[in-house]
PDB file of all heavy atoms in Angstrom:
ATOM      1  N   PRO A 148       6.596  -0.110  10.004  1.00 98.00           N
ATOM      2  CA  PRO A 148       7.775   0.368   9.393  1.00 98.00           C
ATOM      3  C   PRO A 148       9.032   0.744  10.246  1.00 98.00           C
ATOM      4  O   PRO A 148      10.153   0.702   9.872  1.00 98.00           O
ATOM      5  CB  PRO A 148       7.423   1.648   8.637  1.00 98.00           C
ATOM      6  CG  PRO A 148       5.813   1.469   8.536  1.00 98.00           C
ATOM      7  CD  PRO A 148       5.511   0.720   9.677  1.00 98.00           C
ATOM      8  N   THR A 149       8.632   1.164  11.536  1.00 98.00           N
ATOM      9  CA  THR A 149       9.808   1.465  12.487  1.00 98.00           C
ATOM     10  C   THR A 149      10.529   0.226  12.950  1.00 98.00           C
ATOM     11  O   THR A 149      11.732   0.200  12.993  1.00 98.00           O
ATOM     12  CB  THR A 149       9.227   2.082  13.825  1.00 98.00           C
ATOM     13  OG1 THR A 149       7.834   2.468  13.733  1.00 98.00           O
ATOM     14  CG2 THR A 149      10.045   3.341  14.161  1.00 98.00           C
ATOM     15  N   LEU A 150       9.726  -0.959  13.103  1.00 98.00           N
ATOM     16  CA  LEU A 150      10.468  -2.114  13.374  1.00 98.00           C
ATOM     17  C   LEU A 150      11.349  -2.603  12.121  1.00 98.00           C
ATOM     18  O   LEU A 150      12.495  -2.921  12.403  1.00 98.00           O
ATOM     19  CB  LEU A 150       9.443  -3.226  13.839  1.00 98.00           C
ATOM     20  CG  LEU A 150       9.982  -4.537  14.204  1.00 98.00           C
ATOM     21  CD1 LEU A 150      10.973  -4.515  15.302  1.00 98.00           C
ATOM     22  CD2 LEU A 150       8.841  -5.635  14.520  1.00 98.00           C
ATOM     23  N   MET A 151      10.774  -2.451  11.012  1.00 98.00           N
ATOM     24  CA  MET A 151      11.623  -2.878   9.860  1.00 98.00           C
ATOM     25  C   MET A 151      12.888  -1.905   9.631  1.00 98.00           C
ATOM     26  O   MET A 151      13.961  -2.435   9.411  1.00 98.00           O
ATOM     27  CB  MET A 151      10.703  -2.688   8.539  1.00 98.00           C
ATOM     28  CG  MET A 151      11.383  -3.096   7.342  1.00 98.00           C
ATOM     29  SD  MET A 151      10.228  -3.558   6.090  1.00 98.00           S
ATOM     30  CE  MET A 151      11.350  -3.326   4.593  1.00 98.00           C
ATOM     31  N   ALA A 152      12.734  -0.659  10.018  1.00 98.00           N
ATOM     32  CA  ALA A 152      13.863   0.260  10.020  1.00 98.00           C
ATOM     33  C   ALA A 152      14.899  -0.273  11.031  1.00 98.00           C
ATOM     34  O   ALA A 152      16.106  -0.305  10.728  1.00 98.00           O
ATOM     35  CB  ALA A 152      13.458   1.595  10.292  1.00 98.00           C
ATOM     36  N   ALA A 153      14.410  -0.631  12.096  1.00 99.00           N
ATOM     37  CA  ALA A 153      15.342  -1.113  13.361  1.00 99.00           C
ATOM     38  C   ALA A 153      15.997  -2.303  12.701  1.00 99.00           C
ATOM     39  O   ALA A 153      17.351  -2.484  12.934  1.00 99.00           O
ATOM     40  CB  ALA A 153      14.563  -1.372  14.559  1.00 99.00           C
ATOM     41  N   ASP A 154      15.308  -3.231  12.205  1.00 98.00           N
ATOM     42  CA  ASP A 154      15.976  -4.487  11.701  1.00 98.00           C
ATOM     43  C   ASP A 154      17.081  -4.206  10.742  1.00 98.00           C
ATOM     44  O   ASP A 154      18.162  -4.832  10.839  1.00 98.00           O
ATOM     45  CB  ASP A 154      14.965  -5.275  10.724  1.00 98.00           C
ATOM     46  CG  ASP A 154      13.830  -5.921  11.375  1.00 98.00           C
ATOM     47  OD1 ASP A 154      13.981  -6.283  12.614  1.00 98.00           O
ATOM     48  OD2 ASP A 154      12.751  -5.945  10.768  1.00 98.00           O
ATOM     49  N   ILE A 155      16.947  -3.210   9.910  1.00 98.00           N
ATOM     50  CA  ILE A 155      17.942  -2.854   8.907  1.00 98.00           C
ATOM     51  C   ILE A 155      19.115  -2.066   9.545  1.00 98.00           C
ATOM     52  O   ILE A 155      20.248  -2.470   9.245  1.00 98.00           O
ATOM     53  CB  ILE A 155      17.335  -1.977   7.760  1.00 98.00           C
ATOM     54  CG1 ILE A 155      16.209  -2.876   7.089  1.00 98.00           C
ATOM     55  CG2 ILE A 155      18.348  -1.638   6.687  1.00 98.00           C
ATOM     56  CD1 ILE A 155      15.383  -2.155   6.189  1.00 98.00           C
ATOM     57  N   ILE A 156      18.798  -1.110  10.240  1.00 98.00           N
ATOM     58  CA  ILE A 156      19.868  -0.156  10.610  1.00 98.00           C
ATOM     59  C   ILE A 156      20.709  -0.720  11.850  1.00 98.00           C
ATOM     60  O   ILE A 156      21.785  -0.273  12.105  1.00 98.00           O
ATOM     61  CB  ILE A 156      19.473   1.279  10.814  1.00 98.00           C
ATOM     62  CG1 ILE A 156      18.553   1.446  12.044  1.00 98.00           C
ATOM     63  CG2 ILE A 156      18.816   1.778   9.540  1.00 98.00           C
ATOM     64  CD1 ILE A 156      18.175   2.967  12.124  1.00 98.00           C
ATOM     65  N   ILE A 157      20.169  -1.659  12.498  1.00 98.00           N
ATOM     66  CA  ILE A 157      20.930  -2.207  13.620  1.00 98.00           C
ATOM     67  C   ILE A 157      22.176  -2.855  13.215  1.00 98.00           C
ATOM     68  O   ILE A 157      23.071  -2.863  14.046  1.00 98.00           O
ATOM     69  CB  ILE A 157      19.945  -3.382  14.490  1.00 98.00           C
ATOM     70  CG1 ILE A 157      20.523  -3.476  15.855  1.00 98.00           C
ATOM     71  CG2 ILE A 157      19.876  -4.712  13.708  1.00 98.00           C
ATOM     72  CD1 ILE A 157      19.529  -3.776  16.824  1.00 98.00           C
ATOM     73  N   HIS A 158      22.254  -3.246  11.917  1.00 98.00           N
ATOM     74  CA  HIS A 158      23.547  -3.767  11.598  1.00 98.00           C
ATOM     75  C   HIS A 158      24.251  -2.860  10.596  1.00 98.00           C
ATOM     76  O   HIS A 158      25.218  -3.182   9.892  1.00 98.00           O
ATOM     77  CB  HIS A 158      23.269  -5.240  10.673  1.00 98.00           C
ATOM     78  CG  HIS A 158      22.643  -6.117  11.500  1.00 98.00           C
ATOM     79  ND1 HIS A 158      23.196  -6.590  12.702  1.00 98.00           N
ATOM     80  CD2 HIS A 158      21.541  -6.827  11.315  1.00 98.00           C
ATOM     81  CE1 HIS A 158      22.409  -7.618  13.099  1.00 98.00           C
ATOM     82  NE2 HIS A 158      21.363  -7.785  12.396  1.00 98.00           N
ATOM     83  N   LYS A 159      23.707  -1.601  10.639  1.00 98.00           N
ATOM     84  CA  LYS A 159      24.222  -0.504   9.695  1.00 98.00           C
ATOM     85  C   LYS A 159      24.337  -0.993   8.274  1.00 98.00           C
ATOM     86  O   LYS A 159      25.220  -0.812   7.551  1.00 98.00           O
ATOM     87  CB  LYS A 159      25.638  -0.203  10.149  1.00 98.00           C
ATOM     88  CG  LYS A 159      25.535   0.530  11.616  1.00 98.00           C
ATOM     89  CD  LYS A 159      26.932   1.258  11.795  1.00 98.00           C
ATOM     90  CE  LYS A 159      26.901   2.078  13.103  1.00 98.00           C
ATOM     91  NZ  LYS A 159      28.148   2.755  13.481  1.00 98.00           N
ATOM     92  N   ALA A 160      23.200  -1.557   7.858  1.00 98.00           N
ATOM     93  CA  ALA A 160      23.095  -2.089   6.362  1.00 98.00           C
ATOM     94  C   ALA A 160      23.201  -1.000   5.308  1.00 98.00           C
ATOM     95  O   ALA A 160      22.542   0.083   5.670  1.00 98.00           O
ATOM     96  CB  ALA A 160      22.014  -2.986   6.231  1.00 98.00           C
ATOM     97  N   VAL A 161      23.797  -1.210   4.221  1.00 98.00           N
ATOM     98  CA  VAL A 161      23.728  -0.233   3.180  1.00 98.00           C
ATOM     99  C   VAL A 161      22.810  -0.656   2.054  1.00 98.00           C
ATOM    100  O   VAL A 161      22.339   0.059   1.288  1.00 98.00           O
ATOM    101  CB  VAL A 161      25.096   0.198   2.640  1.00 98.00           C
ATOM    102  CG1 VAL A 161      25.956   0.922   3.705  1.00 98.00           C
ATOM    103  CG2 VAL A 161      25.932  -1.066   2.140  1.00 98.00           C
TER     104      VAL A 161
END
Side-chain angles (χ1 to χ4, degrees):
T149 350
L150 181 55
M151 181 158 158
D154 291 328
I155 297 168
I156 68 177
I157 200 150
H158 301 300
K159 297 194 173 178
V161 292

